[in-house]
Amino acid sequence: MSSTAMKKKVLLMGKSGSGKTSMRSIIFANYIARDTRRLGATIDVEHSHVRFLGNLVLNLWDCGGQDTFMENYFTSQRDNIFRNVEVLIYVFDVESRELEKDMHYYQSCLEAILQNSPDAKVFCLVHKMDLVQEDQRDLIFKEREEDLKRLSRPLACTCFRTSIWDETLYKAWSSIVYQLIPNVQQLESNLRNFAQIIEADEVLLFERATFLVISHYQCREQRDAHRFEKISNIIKQFKLSCSKLAASFQSMEVRNSNFAAFIDVFTSNTYVMVIMSDPSIPSAATLINIRNARKHFEKLERVDGPKHSLHMRMR
């Protein structure tokens, strides 16, 4: 399949000030949350191409949310904006005082999607949840989610609560990008084989630039359901700190009496994290096994890569 065929058009929409450009800048442009305050409003549509896992390219359309622009999207620019869309991400400011208008624009988006890209996946992000009192967040999100799912019919929509100040942003975007990976089932099958061969408790695969989790396999139940997004957030912040010192992040090993965690460059587009709890397996053996698996996973990232499963010898 050609690289052109692997472009996936992603629409990022929502009213002005809802936080679209801030979240895009954190995920794809290495901003930290406090630095997004200096970002200005998006004028019309900003296009960016993000290479993701070899041949996959995200063609991201960040659409300005001022009323004039929104009206143009549904009239003169309708075909251009809404044709060939793989994913619509609509961002709602949870504290918006114009909820009725927000919902009207969202429904207009859905009508245009149904007409031009009926197979598109739809995601709604209820954003700025940090501004809601903690004991009210579950209730408010559930109410918004029910309203959005009802309004979205006959299309299905998946809702996430998000904030730029915690790991929820990474959870949402990891889930969205996961839907766009063409050979994800094959990738997960080989990651499972890899984890079982090296006797790991858990293996995570991160996209190299964004550090979004794109695949994982666990052999043993873990207590923290939000660990993936927390790790993404922590490691990305550490990578940014390294870059400010003109250093590049390569690998890391964290060890205590209960487990050892290894984070290492895996392929040209990914990092891998391996969790081991067996104290009899030395670090050197795990690092050799990671190195031995790299070539196989490099081939998997190409759409025309091998269909066979991973087989390797334990060191």
Side-chain angles (χ1 to χ4, degrees):
M1 188 178 295
S2 68
S3 58
T4 303
M6 287 308 299
K7 283 185 179 177
K8 305 281 189 178
K9 182 176 177 180
V10 178
L11 284 188
L12 182 58
M13 304 193 77
K15 283 283 289 165
S16 181
S18 60
K20 304 181 300 298
T21 303
S22 293
M23 64 171 64
R24 186 197 75 183
S25 299
I26 289 171
I27 297 295
F28 296 110
N30 292 329
Y31 274 64
I32 57 176
R34 67 173 178 268
D35 289 345
T36 62
R37 292 169 178 157
R38 66 172 187 258
L39 292 168
T42 301
I43 305 301
D44 203 7
V45 180
E46 289 186 6
H47 300 270
S48 56
H49 289 80
V50 182
R51 184 164 291 280
F52 219 85
L53 290 184
N55 289 338
L56 177 59
V57 176
L58 303 187
N59 184 10
L60 190 61
W61 294 41
D62 183 355
C63 301
Q66 295 91 328
D67 289 343
T68 304
F69 297 142
M70 295 292 276
E71 295 296 340
N72 284 339
Y73 302 151
F74 306 131
T75 53
S76 60
Q77 297 187 61
R78 188 182 185 92
D79 290 347
N80 180 46
I81 296 287
F82 294 100
R83 189 189 298 122
N84 301 322
V85 174
E86 292 279 341
V87 165
L88 167 66
I89 304 169
Y90 203 97
V91 182
F92 293 90
D93 180 348
V94 71
E95 294 219 313
S96 171
R97 296 179 181 178
E98 297 183 306
L99 185 58
E100 191 172 327
K101 182 186 280 188
D102 295 347
M103 293 298 188
H104 167 71
Y105 281 141
Y106 174 59
Q107 284 188 295
S108 298
C109 280
L110 294 180
E111 290 169 7
I113 285 289
L114 269 171
Q115 182 182 2
N116 292 275
S117 304
D119 296 326
K121 296 179 176 67
V122 178
F123 297 90
C124 293
L125 307 189
V126 182
H127 195 46
K128 302 185 182 180
M129 288 295 292
D130 56 285
L131 299 178
V132 178
Q133 281 186 284
E134 195 167 352
D135 61 351
Q136 294 293 310
R137 289 175 190 172
D138 288 345
L139 177 61
I140 288 175
F141 175 72
K142 186 176 181 181
E143 289 176 351
R144 292 290 172 87
E145 182 179 37
E146 288 174 353
D147 289 343
L148 290 168
K149 285 181 178 291
R150 177 176 47 80
L151 284 172
S152 300
R153 295 176 189 143
L155 291 169
C157 98
T158 303
C159 299
F160 295 96
R161 67 182 86 186
T162 55
S163 166
I164 63 172
W165 299 101
D166 61 30
E167 69 276 0
T168 55
L169 190 64
Y170 285 87
K171 177 180 178 61
W173 278 89
S174 289
S175 299
I176 292 166
V177 168
Y178 177 88
Q179 302 278 339
L180 295 169
I181 299 172
N183 57 341
V184 69
Q185 291 181 334
Q186 187 187 0
L187 189 63
E188 289 185 330
S189 173
N190 280 269
L191 202 66
R192 179 181 68 247
N193 291 346
F194 176 56
Q196 291 172 347
I197 289 167
I198 67 172
E199 299 178 21
D201 290 21
E202 188 164 36
V203 178
L204 310 179
L205 204 59
F206 299 93
E207 198 277 327
R208 190 163 183 166
T210 62
F211 239 80
L212 295 174
V213 177
I214 54 176
S215 186
H216 81 281
Y217 179 75
Q218 67 180 61
C219 301
R220 183 175 298 184
E221 197 67 31
Q222 306 293 336
R223 285 181 294 179
D224 189 347
H226 304 291
R227 62 195 181 281
F228 303 157
E229 299 78 41
K230 289 177 181 177
I231 293 166
S232 289
N233 206 359
I234 291 167
I235 297 299
K236 191 163 187 188
Q237 297 307 316
F238 182 68
K239 283 181 66 184
L240 291 173
S241 299
C242 290
S243 65
K244 289 177 181 177
L245 298 172
S248 60
F249 174 72
Q250 178 78 20
S251 62
M252 176 187 294
E253 179 179 345
V254 179
R255 181 179 289 273
N256 62 23
S257 58
N258 298 316
F259 71 91
F262 304 83
I263 301 176
D264 204 350
V265 171
F266 201 41
T267 70
S268 57
N269 297 292
T270 61
Y271 278 84
V272 69
M273 181 173 186
V274 176
I275 308 296
M276 309 285 291
S277 62
D278 186 346
S280 69
I281 300 176
S283 298
T286 300
L287 293 172
I288 288 171
N289 285 324
I290 291 172
R291 186 184 68 198
N292 287 345
R294 280 180 181 140
K295 185 179 289 186
H296 179 82
F297 279 87
E298 282 278 11
K299 292 177 182 176
L300 282 179
E301 287 185 10
R302 297 195 298 269
V303 174
D304 58 346
K307 304 304 180 197
H308 56 270
S309 296
L310 176 66
H311 300 284
M312 57 186 286
R313 187 170 57 194
M314 279 289 293
R315 297 296 181 112

